[in-house]
């Protein structure tokens, strides 16, 4: 019998319990999933920063910590965590992110607001542009960025992806490194941020990099709030260098009511809903990783402490 500790917000227990129990049984594992195991008896921890666990030292026989979240910036700096840490890579979450990104890219590409928000009776035909004429750049070509890039490319967009290490993917222009960032942003009309929060990615959109995009470019950020220098973005919106920003994540969440983003006419705020972890598919990923731990196979989706994601 394996003892699995569920350490996340109390509301998550109702959301995930049945799915995880079902997936663990489906993986042929005999487990006891609870919120209150004695630390020294725990084999695995299903973890979210919203839970109570701050000190991992007493979990002496714990073989892995399995994050319910894709972003691990709040746990990676915890020096008591010496066990392997797997982040969440969930096919359901990936599908949700692809839908969010494609929906918001198409909104801006087609200028949908013009007709949807119209309150007058002006009949003014306009030619919808073609995706092939719209350069879209995705910063971050990982699980989510690559899937979004491929979906946009399949719609015909001219997609450039940027990552830390060199990559290649059919139908995408793949760039990396500092020179690659400059090339990726130069002339981009829509920029999507799907980078993790690490030292090198903070304020990656700043006065210098925002100036590289096409005039009137759109920024879509479902990555992390710290990727954007907020003052620089607001200045670029006011000058017209950036035409619109659709922002899902913020330095401080919930976004404070007096934040300039709420009232800005060229900013769309979504409340960190781009794509949440989906219990059923995520539970299967968790169960598979526990099965791997028990059969001596390497864990999937391990976080690289040195690289920070
Ligand atoms: P991932 O698979 O780890 O991919 C991260 C990508 O960023 C990789 O392509 C990586 O490059 C690149 N990268 C990291 N540091 C870089 C740097 N210094 N310079 C250039 N590229 C760099 O992560 P993911 O699963 O796609 O998730 C991305 C982020 O999305 C998460 O960290 C989280 O913050 C955010 N997220 C948000 C929501 C939401 O609802 N808003 C939901 C889920 C996730 P390499 O490929 O070379 O490693």
């Amino acid at each position: 019998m394996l003892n699995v500790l569920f350490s996340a917000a109390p509301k998550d227990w109702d959301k995930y319990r049945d799915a995880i129990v079902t997936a663990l049984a489906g993986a042929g594992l005999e487990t006891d999933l609870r919120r209150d195991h004695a630390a020294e008896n725990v084999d695995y921890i299903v973890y979210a920063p919203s839970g109570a666990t701050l000190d991992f030292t007493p979990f002496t026989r714990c073989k892995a910590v399995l994050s319910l979240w894709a972003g691990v910036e709040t746990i990676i700096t915890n020096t008591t965590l010496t066990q392997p840490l797997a982040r969440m890579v969930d096919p359901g979450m990936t599908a949700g992110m692809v839908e969010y990104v494609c929906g918001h890219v198409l909104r801006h590409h087609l200028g949908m607001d013009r007709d949807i928000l119209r309150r007058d009776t002006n009949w003014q035909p306009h030619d919808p542009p073609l995706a092939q004429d719209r350069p879209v750049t995705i910063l971050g070509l990982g699980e989510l960025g690559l899937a979004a890039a491929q979906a946009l490319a399949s719609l015909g967009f001219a997609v450039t992806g940027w990552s830390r290490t060199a990559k290649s993917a059919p139908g995408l222009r793949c760039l990396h490194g500092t020179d690659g960032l400059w090339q990726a942003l130069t002339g981009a009309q829509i920029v999507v941020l799907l980078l993790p929060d690490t030292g090198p990615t903070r304020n990656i959109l700043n006065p210098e990099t925002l100036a590289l995009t096409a005039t009137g470019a759109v920024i879509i950020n479902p990555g992390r709030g710290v990727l954007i220098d907020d003052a620089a973005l607001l200045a670029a919106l006011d000058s017209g260098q950036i035409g619109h920003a659709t922002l899902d994540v913020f330095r401080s969440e919930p976004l404070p009511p007096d934040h300039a983003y709420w009232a800005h006419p060229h900013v769309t705020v979504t409340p960190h809903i781009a794509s949440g972890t989906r219990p059923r598919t995520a539970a299967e990923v968790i169960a598979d990783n526990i099965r791997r731990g028990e059969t001596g196979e390497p864990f999937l989706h391990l976080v690289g402490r040195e690289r920070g994601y």
Side-chain angles (χ1 to χ4, degrees):
M1 176 74 74
L2 295 168
N3 292 324
V4 181
L5 177 69
F6 186 87
S7 180
K11 68 177 170 47
D12 286 341
W13 178 241
D14 291 338
K15 189 172 155 193
Y16 285 99
R17 180 189 46 207
D18 291 350
I20 297 177
V21 166
T22 303
L24 289 168
L29 296 162
E30 221 181 305
T31 57
D32 183 11
L33 176 74
R34 283 205 240 153
R35 288 185 291 177
D36 58 356
H37 284 297
E40 65 276 15
N41 296 332
V42 168
D43 295 294
Y44 294 91
I45 304 177
V46 176
Y47 173 85
S50 50
T53 306
L54 297 174
D55 181 5
F56 291 88
T57 318
F59 296 95
T60 45
R61 81 175 206 204
C62 173
K63 292 168 224 171
V65 174
L66 308 168
S67 174
L68 286 170
W69 293 11
V72 289
E73 66 275 6
T74 53
I75 184 181
I76 201 163
T77 51
N78 186 328
T79 52
T80 69
L81 178 63
T82 53
Q83 298 87 347
L85 169 66
R87 63 190 203 88
M88 179 49 68
V89 174
D90 162 22
M93 178 195 283
T94 302
M97 185 60 81
V98 167
E99 292 176 18
Y100 179 93
V101 170
C102 288
H104 286 278
V105 165
L106 284 169
R107 169 194 172 195
H108 295 297
H109 167 63
L110 293 173
M112 288 178 172
D113 291 5
R114 182 176 359 185
D115 297 321
I116 292 171
L117 302 177
R118 189 208 330 278
R119 293 293 170 261
D120 58 38
T121 54
N122 266 341
W123 180 268
Q124 281 187 325
H126 48 90
D127 285 331
L130 286 178
Q132 66 192 26
D133 300 322
R134 182 79 67 190
V136 178
T137 287
I138 304 204
L139 302 187
L141 217 41
E143 293 291 336
L144 302 177
L146 180 62
Q150 287 170 330
L152 290 170
S154 75
L155 291 171
F157 286 98
V159 183
T160 297
W162 181 71
S163 52
R164 189 176 58 87
T165 57
K167 296 224 167 336
S168 69
L172 303 180
R173 182 170 73 132
C174 297
L175 300 169
H176 69 283
T178 307
D179 289 350
L181 177 65
W182 252 244
Q183 286 178 56
L185 290 177
T186 299
Q189 293 183 13
I190 300 180
V191 177
V192 181
L193 302 180
L194 276 168
L195 291 162
D197 169 4
T198 68
T201 63
R202 290 197 186 143
N203 293 324
I204 203 141
L205 285 193
N206 54 49
E208 291 74 39
T209 53
L210 285 165
L212 297 170
T213 65
T215 306
V218 168
I219 307 298
I220 299 174
N221 185 15
R224 281 293 182 260
V226 297
L227 303 175
I228 297 178
D229 172 340
D230 293 318
L233 177 58
L234 285 163
L237 284 160
D238 290 340
S239 74
Q241 170 59 20
I242 299 300
H244 197 98
T246 292
L247 308 173
D248 186 57
V249 284
F250 305 90
R251 278 189 156 71
S252 176
E253 293 182 12
L255 184 65
D258 60 350
H259 198 287
Y261 284 147
W262 280 116
H264 201 290
H266 300 304
V267 174
T268 299
V269 170
T270 60
H272 202 145
I273 45 78
S275 192
T277 305
R278 313 291 152 137
R280 189 183 58 75
T281 43
E284 283 169 17
V285 174
I286 287 166
D288 187 42
N289 247 347
I290 294 180
R291 183 195 61 72
R292 286 172 159 268
E294 295 309 298
T295 55
E297 291 175 59
F299 290 114
L300 294 176
H301 318 310
L302 284 181
V303 171
R305 309 283 170 104
E306 65 305 328
R307 61 174 199 249
Y309 64 98

